[in-house]
Amino acid sequence: MHRGMENPVQPGRPRGTVPAPLRYVSRRPVIDLERVSKTYGDGATRVEALVAVDLHIPAGQFVSIMGPSGSGKSTLLNLVSALDVPSDGRITIDGQDIGALDDDALTLFRRRKIGLIFQFFNLLPTLNATDNVLLPVMLERAVTPDDRARALAVLGDVGLARRAHHRVHELSGGEMQRVAIARALILEPRLILADEPTGNLDSATGRSILELLKKTARDHGTTVVMVTHDRTAAEAGDRLVLLRDGRLEGDQAVGPAAAGGA
Amino acid sequence: MGRLFRPIGRAFTSALLGLVHLAALALSPWRIGRLLRTVSLPRFHEHGLRTALTVLGIALGVAMLVSVVLVNRSILRSFADTLDDISGKADLEVTAAASFEEAALETVRAVPGVTHATPVVQETALMRLPQAPGERLLIIGVDFLGEDDEHFRRYDSTEMKAIKDDPIAFLNASTHVIVSRALADRFGLKLKDTLPLQTPTGVQSFQIWGFIEDEGVGRAFGGNVAVMYYQAMQVAFDKGTRIDRIDVAVDPAAGPDTIAARLRAALGPGYDAARPERRNTQVAQMLGGLNLALTMGSLVAILVGMFLIYNTMSISVVQRKRELGILRALGTTRRQILLLFTLEGGLLGCVGSALGVFLGLFLARGMLGVITASVNEIYLQVAATDVHVDPVLLLGSGVLGILGAVASAFIPAREATRVSAVETLRTGHAPKHVAPGLHRTDLLAVGLLLGAVLARSLPPVDGQPFGPYASTILILLAVALAMPRIIGLVHRALARPAERLFGVEARLANDNVPRDLRRATITSGALMVGVSLTVAFGCFLESFKVSTLTWVAQTVPADLFVTSGARFGGVKNIPMADTLRDDLAALPGVEEVDRIRLVNIVYRDLPIKLLSAGLEIFSKHSHMTFLQGDAETSVPAVQAGDVMVSENLARRFGLVVGDTLRLASPKGEKAYRLAGVILDYTSDQGTIIMDRATMIRDWDDARVDTYELYLTAGTNPEVVKREIEARWGEALNLYVLTARDFRGELEKVLDQTFAVMSALELVALIIAVLGVVNALLATVIDRIRELGVLRAIGMLRRQVRRMVMLEAGILGVSAVIGGLLAGLALAWVLTNDIFLAQSGWYIALLVPVLPMVQLTVAVIGVSTLAGWYPARAAARLVVSDALEYE
Ligand SMILES: Nc1ncnc2c1ncn2[C@@H]1O[C@H](COP(=O)(O)OP(=O)(O)O)[C@@H](O)[C@H]1O
Ligand SMILES: [Mg+2]
């Protein structure tokens, strides 16, 4: 529908090689928050960033999180990303209780199960696009020619086949986010988590990035959780979760799913 | 380990920050002081550890300088004080090349204008008291019965008065002495106690007849002083009727210079009359090379400290661009910014220098013992026990530290002024590589190298090779300017192997190095300076050792060396009356015995050595290396009364075979024909070599410093050594060294002599390593967000740690490469120019490969370890915070 300057032509791989869409198939939640709270500091500086949040996200769902600034969106996303552990409550991701893991286990968990995309400064400026995509692989093991081929394929999927060997500073903002998406995909994670991935982009570019995320999620059956400020962006997903003052304020289906369900 | 270090580190950091606070507070009356307090202090706090390391670096540099100059000064001062205590009131002293006949006294007294003249005999002896092991005693023999002596010295003691009133009993024996009260108190000596002393004729028991108070003579030589009647002393020390000098007082109306001229005329050639202080100048000149080397070494430590300040300040400028933008927007002028940053550097310099001066005072106490020991071993006997605290030197060193800090802060400060009011935050900046093609810095580096080559050949000033020293600095600067190139090369060379060997961490580390090329340059540049100093000095020391030991093996190939009172003949030992030769020769297995005598003489105002040996024996065994003349003609000529000189003396005075050397012997002036120039490492001042018969004939000196024994083939030197020790060892306090011992001891003396220099290199290296810690802390801070991303997408803590440490290691690799290059160049200048000018010795430069490899490994290892603290800080970042960081 909306095509911006960043036209995601996707010659990529033939449709047939993509695993069958998994969305709505599994009822078992891939993300499971039970009465999760997070407080920072104590005494006078104590901040309750999240209060007793219950949230269950089934595999394959594209969930947007919205809320005013300071409402706890990033905190929630950090917890789900296994970047942080809750002060109270229980978080299970893909069957793993996050609270039970030490730092190394959390790190490996992130590396293997989660793809992360940030608002800006996602990439290492010293590496070219392909190597940035391959970074999670490099952290895991020595890169094989197969890995390289795969990285190029994923870059093709995100429409950057011709930018594969460009340095980061030679890419536009939208291209950088595409590289970040490709990097998030390289190890075929169960989850993709994005904190305002379009926050730093003009609206047209932002839209194309959202399209890409959506399509990726559908093609790979990946669960996506995205924090955003932007109502239109939020409606790109299947479900919209609203936060206010660290509490769940709303949880509704959006997009075609909502339309179909209504 | 961390648990132990952290509280110490924290206490140290806050103590230093406290000092910085105080210094800033002192400036608060001025506007810039307020700016300093509101803008700079919080900054210092935020980067407490880095601030502390910078201050520490400066402090160490200044401390080295302070201690070195204080020690140098203290040794000279101690010599001057002793001279002053003994001969302070003499207007002139009459001396010859060595000791001379006391008959000259009559001539001196007859010169009009001489009001007082009195003889002085002076020796250093070894005490053989069980409670004073190894203690040396300065004994002066004076004519305290003559009226003239009173004019020069006062002994202020009741016993002395009694002796003067009734001298007969005191003069009855040649072994009656008066010792200083300090000595008596220190070793519990009482009146009429015996004091065993090592003399040329063996251990003699002297008897204490009185004490002198701790003033004047009584405090000379650190208080280890005794007084005898000079004629008694001549007997006790086997000096015949010779004296060492005549103290002279002159009629003030005539003036000392006129009288000195009259004295020289009256005494004839060979004698000299000059102010006693002249000896201070001679000693200062003798120790000048050592002093200059140490001072230069400590200046390098300060130079490395300056790198540290420079780096800290430029990191600070980069990290504060935004703040600077705001300051500029708020109306702070460029000049104020310049002043502010320069002052920040100056402030760190002030605190560092103050601390350094303080530290240096302590360090000097430790260093004094080491350096005095070396001086006593190779130059002359001094008893420097107290550090002479010279406020001017302290102030000077401190000011130098501050000026260095201000100067090195200036360039970053100027850069700070270029930040515009609308400076934006840097993000994802592109890595900069050294562009190919010639740069201004390359040209400058080449220019500096050319300058270094030119400076090398500048002639010495006052015998000191300032040109070559300047050349070393130019070499260091040139290589420092080439560091970006070296880093670029290392970066490229490591690109593949690093990743293959150490994984992605190494790749990321290597990629990161050229991102802030200037920081990398300064950091590894400072380390390069430290490494190059170590390399240069290591090569020099090895070359010198090899030259000396080879010379010993070839030229002094005796199987056993027998001395009294010290391991080597020359400075510390007690010359022996020649009583042992026949007994030694009669020992089974002894083929021949050579007798070596080393006399301190003054030649053309330079204190040098006059060496005599039995040329017939000596030339039979020794393979002398002739630089002029040859064994066939020179040796017979020397046996017939000519002399040879050492390479360095010939070089110093431009002597060639056939020249005539005029020396003032106790029997008047003697002229010797120069028959040869040989390689000789006896003294760095120079040596004249003559036959023993010539020395006995002209110098009336048959004493022996070293018996050199040649054994028959198949004789075990250890057996003969034990035999000698058993028979005469105790009585004559003999040191018997086999050829092997001799080399070992020689090596030990060399190592000891250069130990302080090695310590200086080590300090320079330590300061440079502080710089590595500093720079990596900054790198980590600059990359907090990036580290957050890496951690978020799955980099393990240990991978982060490895990455940061490997980056430090890569800087170490670059530093080692630069350091080896610069170091070898420095070694060349050091051996071929500086050492040649200072000692007159030409030694072949050798590069000890194994130690160089060890150094390389050690420096890379240590710099990698220097990354440990920053690495830990990086690994401990809270990922979610790091991601929020801007
Ligand atoms: N590391 C932290 N330390 C202290 N307070 C924090 C920290 N991170 C977030 N907070 C606080 O928690 C609350 C929620 O923050 P955040 O999750 O970042 O909100 P959002 O992303 O919705 O803007 C805010 O009040 C914020 O100030
Ligand atoms: Mg947020």
Side-chain angles (χ1 to χ4, degrees):
Chain A
M1 28 181 235
H2 307 281
R3 290 278 149 95
M5 307 173 297
E6 309 268 325
N7 194 348
V9 197
Q10 295 179 0
R13 70 177 95 177
R15 282 278 144 100
T17 64
V18 173
L22 293 168
R23 57 186 190 132
Y24 310 135
V25 172
S26 165
R27 285 291 103 195
R28 189 170 66 87
V30 75
I31 299 172
D32 202 7
L33 276 70
E34 289 170 44
R35 305 201 58 75
V36 166
S37 300
K38 179 75 185 177
T39 52
Y40 291 108
D42 51 6
T45 62
R46 185 180 157 94
V47 177
E48 297 201 315
L50 282 182
V51 186
V53 171
D54 279 300
L55 184 64
H56 312 282
I57 300 176
Q61 206 170 47
F62 190 134
V63 180
S64 306
I65 298 177
M66 284 191 74
S69 185
S71 58
K73 305 182 295 290
S74 296
T75 304
L76 179 64
L77 203 70
N78 285 345
L79 290 175
V80 176
S81 319
L83 286 171
D84 214 343
V85 287
S87 315
D88 204 3
R90 206 175 127 93
I91 301 182
T92 314
I93 298 169
D94 199 26
Q96 174 67 56
D97 179 358
I98 294 301
L101 299 180
D102 65 7
D103 189 86
D104 277 358
L106 281 174
T107 306
L108 290 177
F109 188 80
R110 284 199 299 275
R111 188 197 288 171
R112 291 167 186 166
K113 299 272 169 122
I114 300 170
L116 284 170
I117 301 162
F118 312 102
Q119 183 175 348
F120 50 63
F121 208 89
N122 259 308
L123 308 177
L124 290 202
T126 52
L127 303 181
N128 66 18
T130 312
D131 285 343
N132 262 295
V133 172
L134 282 169
L135 201 49
V137 183
M138 293 181 196
L139 292 173
E140 181 83 9
R141 56 185 155 81
V143 172
T144 64
D146 281 355
D147 292 324
R148 292 213 163 265
R150 181 162 159 64
L152 288 174
V154 179
L155 274 171
D157 285 352
V158 300
L160 286 180
R162 295 218 207 117
R163 293 272 187 272
H165 298 293
H166 281 54
R167 291 294 191 115
V168 169
H169 63 96
E170 295 162 340
L171 301 176
S172 70
E175 286 170 333
M176 286 190 204
Q177 285 308 59
R178 282 164 201 276
V179 175
I181 292 171
R183 182 184 67 197
L185 288 172
I186 189 76
L187 286 177
E188 305 196 310
R190 295 280 286 153
L191 283 176
I192 287 185
L193 305 176
D195 196 346
E196 306 204 23
T198 59
N200 222 22
L201 305 175
D202 64 80
S203 57
T205 315
R207 272 193 300 278
S208 71
I209 292 292
L210 283 175
E211 281 300 315
L212 180 61
L213 263 182
K214 223 163 104 179
K215 193 183 110 46
T216 311
R218 200 177 309 126
D219 292 352
H220 297 251
T222 316
T223 311
V224 177
V225 179
M226 175 182 76
V227 166
T228 182
H229 258 106
D230 176 5
R231 185 87 206 179
T232 349
E235 285 178 353
D238 308 314
R239 179 180 170 189
L240 174 59
V241 171
L242 287 171
L243 278 180
R244 182 178 291 276
D245 294 336
R247 289 166 212 274
L248 264 187
E249 206 194 39
D251 187 350
Q252 63 193 88
V254 289
Chain B
M1 201 165 72
R3 213 160 278 164
L4 191 79
F5 277 146
R6 223 169 312 150
I8 300 173
R10 226 169 262 162
F12 169 73
T13 307
S14 31
L16 286 186
L17 284 175
L19 289 175
V20 174
H21 256 273
L22 280 179
L25 228 55
L27 286 171
S28 52
W30 291 278
R31 182 148 48 114
I32 195 73
R34 283 195 295 280
L35 210 53
L36 208 60
R37 244 172 57 198
T38 49
V39 176
S40 310
L41 279 187
R43 173 79 194 172
F44 287 150
H45 267 277
E46 192 188 337
H47 301 284
L49 182 66
R50 230 169 61 211
T51 309
L53 289 180
T54 309
V55 169
L56 184 66
I58 288 286
L60 283 177
V62 171
M64 283 325 258
L65 182 66
V66 163
S67 50
V68 162
V69 292
L70 282 188
V71 165
N72 287 345
R73 180 59 66 95
S74 300
I75 290 177
L76 291 179
R77 181 65 184 229
S78 140
F79 181 84
D81 282 348
T82 294
L83 181 67
D84 195 48
D85 289 335
I86 296 174
S87 301
K89 292 200 187 121
D91 298 314
L92 294 172
E93 58 177 27
V94 170
T95 54
S99 53
F100 53 91
E101 288 299 326
E102 62 180 295
L105 191 59
E106 295 317 314
T107 320
V108 169
R109 284 194 172 131
V111 169
V114 170
T115 56
H116 304 273
T118 186
V120 180
V121 178
Q122 189 168 323
E123 290 279 335
T124 315
L126 187 67
M127 289 193 270
R128 299 294 301 272
L129 285 171
Q131 68 267 40
E135 293 272 344
R136 275 151 213 280
L137 184 67
L138 177 74
I139 310 171
I140 55 170
V142 293
D143 177 22
F144 52 66
L145 297 180
E147 289 185 354
D148 278 358
D149 191 63
E150 261 175 38
H151 175 84
F152 298 99
R153 280 163 283 270
R154 291 180 52 201
Y155 311 97
D156 291 328
S157 79
T158 42
E159 299 91 355
M160 202 71 177
K161 236 174 243 129
I163 290 168
K164 278 189 185 179
D165 292 344
D166 181 16
I168 306 295
F170 182 73
L171 296 180
N172 203 18
S174 65
T175 53
H176 293 169
V177 296
I178 294 147
V179 300
S180 77
R181 180 76 68 194
L183 186 82
D185 288 348
R186 197 143 77 90
F187 299 115
L189 301 172
K190 293 181 298 297
L191 214 57
K192 295 283 146 61
D193 272 0
T194 53
L195 175 62
L197 291 179
Q198 189 74 45
T199 69
T201 50
V203 177
Q204 296 184 52
S205 287
F206 289 75
Q207 195 176 35
I208 296 173
W209 275 61
F211 304 102
I212 40 179
E213 302 307 328
D214 304 337
E215 275 164 51
V217 175
R219 68 177 174 215
F221 204 63
N224 278 14
V225 64
V227 173
M228 294 179 71
Y229 185 63
Y230 80 104
Q231 286 178 350
M233 192 163 165
Q234 286 170 335
V235 173
F237 286 83
D238 194 24
K239 294 187 74 138
T241 51
R242 292 192 308 278
I243 57 176
D244 291 303
R245 62 170 191 273
I246 299 171
D247 283 349
V248 176
V250 304
D251 181 357
D257 293 335
T258 326
I259 307 294
R262 277 187 212 160
L263 280 167
R264 278 193 292 266
L267 289 161
Y271 287 93
D272 196 12
R275 293 167 188 269
E277 299 83 60
R278 182 237 348 227
R279 271 193 283 155
N280 290 333
T281 321
Q282 284 173 357
V283 169
Q285 195 186 340
M286 184 156 82
L287 300 180
L290 184 68
N291 286 354
L292 188 62
L294 291 174
T295 309
M296 287 304 293
S298 55
L299 283 178
V300 171
I302 289 201
L303 186 75
V304 175
M306 283 172 65
F307 274 70
L308 199 60
I309 287 265
Y310 179 90
N311 215 4
T312 300
M313 292 314 296
S314 36
I315 289 168
S316 179
V317 171
V318 171
Q319 286 177 349
R320 289 154 81 181
K321 281 219 163 129
R322 228 188 20 186
E323 181 188 307
L324 282 167
I326 295 169
L327 278 176
R328 293 280 292 129
L330 291 177
T332 315
T333 64
R334 282 184 197 280
R335 270 197 44 202
Q336 280 170 324
I337 301 255
L338 186 74
L339 195 59
L340 181 69
F341 270 76
T342 314
L343 266 184
E344 272 188 24
L347 198 64
L348 297 182
C350 270
V351 178
S353 297
L355 202 67
V357 166
F358 194 68
L359 216 67
L361 282 173
F362 280 93
L363 212 58
R365 266 163 243 280
M367 207 188 272
L368 183 65
V370 181
I371 296 187
T372 306
S374 307
V375 168
N376 280 337
E377 201 76 58
I378 53 183
Y379 293 111
L380 78 169
Q381 297 290 305
V382 284
T385 46
D386 291 319
V387 173
H388 175 74
V389 180
D390 183 336
V392 177
L393 283 182
L394 289 186
L395 205 67
S397 307
V399 167
L400 196 71
I402 295 168
L403 286 182
V406 168
S408 28
F410 186 75
I411 300 173
R414 234 186 32 200
E415 232 149 79
T417 64
R418 303 219 183 94
V419 174
S420 67
V422 288
E423 187 72 39
T424 49
L425 187 71
R426 316 171 303 152
T427 50
H429 49 120
K432 284 185 291 273
H433 289 280
V434 203
L438 275 183
H439 277 236
R440 228 174 36 186
T441 48
D442 297 328
L443 293 177
L444 196 55
V446 171
L448 288 174
L449 272 185
L450 286 177
V453 172
L454 289 180
R456 257 193 72 194
S457 47
L458 289 180
V461 181
D462 271 349
Q464 297 300 350
F466 292 108
Y469 269 121
S471 167
T472 61
I473 303 281
L474 292 176
I475 290 172
L476 285 177
L477 289 178
V479 177
L481 283 179
M483 279 318 282
R485 295 276 173 198
I486 294 173
I487 292 168
L489 283 175
V490 169
H491 169 71
R492 245 163 288 153
L494 284 182
R496 285 181 187 285
E499 183 168 13
R500 208 160 301 150
L501 277 173
F502 298 105
V504 64
E505 301 94 307
R507 154 118 192 241
L508 296 178
N510 189 38
D511 284 351
N512 203 45
V513 168
R515 277 171 82 180
D516 194 332
L517 195 54
R518 192 167 62 166
R519 181 183 304 166
T521 299
I522 301 289
T523 309
S524 56
L527 200 53
M528 174 278 288
V529 173
V531 172
S532 65
L533 216 60
T534 313
V535 167
F537 203 68
C539 290
F540 161 74
L541 194 51
E542 176 74 9
S543 311
F544 186 44
K545 265 189 196 169
V546 168
S547 293
T548 316
L549 293 175
T550 311
W551 167 75
V552 166
Q554 290 179 353
T555 310
V556 197
D559 299 305
L560 285 174
F561 298 82
V562 181
T563 48
S564 169
R567 283 170 186 77
F568 297 108
V571 182
K572 274 174 94 174
N573 71 309
I574 311 294
M576 299 170 274
D578 183 20
T579 53
L580 275 187
R581 197 208 84 100
D582 294 342
D583 291 332
L584 289 172
L587 287 175
V590 174
E591 188 189 320
E592 268 176 316
V593 178
D594 192 7
R595 288 163 290 185
I596 309 294
R597 171 73 179 129
L598 265 170
V599 184
N600 294 316
I601 65 166
V602 176
Y603 175 67
R604 299 209 212 164
D605 227 19
L606 185 75
I608 63 164
K609 299 278 179 200
L610 177 61
L611 182 149
S612 74
L615 251 278
E616 193 191 327
I617 304 170
F618 185 67
S619 60
K620 195 157 58 176
H621 299 275
S622 162
H623 295 278
M624 287 177 267
T625 308
F626 279 88
L627 302 168
Q628 288 181 42
D630 52 59
E632 285 71 47
T633 55
S634 302
V635 171
V638 172
Q639 278 175 284
D642 286 356
V643 296
M644 297 187 288
V645 298
S646 63
E647 167 203 11
N648 54 341
L649 193 74
R651 191 165 280 131
R652 193 156 284 158
F653 293 112
L655 301 173
V656 290
V657 166
D659 281 358
T660 302
L661 276 70
R662 295 179 188 284
L663 300 178
S665 84
K667 295 190 171 165
E669 191 187 61
K670 301 282 174 192
Y672 301 97
R673 199 187 78 92
L674 182 60
V677 176
I678 61 167
L679 202 65
D680 179 278
Y681 291 104
T682 305
S683 156
D684 66 352
Q685 307 297 303
T687 312
I688 297 176
I689 297 129
M690 58 173 49
D691 191 44
R692 182 167 170 79
T694 316
M695 185 174 267
I696 292 173
R697 188 190 69 209
D698 294 348
W699 298 71
D700 204 12
D701 193 337
R703 288 187 284 177
V704 176
D705 285 295
T706 308
Y707 287 105
E708 293 183 354
L709 276 59
Y710 297 93
L711 304 182
T712 52
T715 307
N716 181 353
E718 294 290 342
V719 173
V720 184
K721 168 181 170 164
R722 275 196 294 276
E723 177 73 18
I724 297 172
E725 281 173 344
R727 287 176 66 172
W728 304 285
E730 183 54 32
L732 290 172
N733 191 22
L734 292 186
Y735 286 77
V736 186
L737 305 187
T738 63
R740 185 114 97 358
D741 299 337
F742 189 80
R743 293 161 139 266
E745 292 294 335
L746 194 60
E747 228 174 317
K748 240 196 264 172
V749 170
L750 291 178
D751 283 335
Q752 187 200 330
T753 307
F754 295 110
V756 172
M757 208 56 213
S758 312
L760 285 176
E761 298 156 23
L762 196 65
V763 168
L765 271 176
I766 289 172
I767 299 174
V769 168
L770 294 182
V772 174
V773 178
N774 225 344
L776 277 144
L777 277 174
T779 306
V780 167
I781 290 166
D782 279 356
R783 290 197 299 158
I784 285 185
R785 230 202 102 87
E786 194 177 306
L787 289 166
V789 170
L790 280 168
R791 290 276 288 129
I793 66 168
M795 187 175 237
L796 293 164
R797 282 198 164 140
R798 59 170 173 273
Q799 288 179 308
V800 173
R801 263 198 307 266
R802 269 162 64 102
M803 179 175 68
V804 176
M805 288 177 74
L806 282 168
E807 187 178 339
I810 293 169
L811 291 179
V813 171
S814 312
V816 164
I817 293 176
L820 284 172
L821 288 176
L824 291 177
L826 290 190
W828 179 265
V829 176
L830 186 58
T831 44
N832 289 313
D833 301 311
I834 294 178
F835 189 66
L836 184 71
Q838 284 181 345
S839 70
W841 282 325
Y842 174 79
I843 55 175
L845 178 60
L846 293 174
V847 180
V849 175
L850 184 65
M852 293 299 125
V853 172
Q854 287 167 336
L855 177 73
T856 300
V857 173
V859 169
I860 295 173
V862 168
S863 60
T864 308
L865 282 179
W868 175 79
Y869 185 84
R872 201 183 64 151
R876 288 193 173 183
L877 286 173
V878 177
V879 185
S880 50
D881 291 350
L883 286 168
E884 295 286 312
Y885 190 89
E886 39 171 72

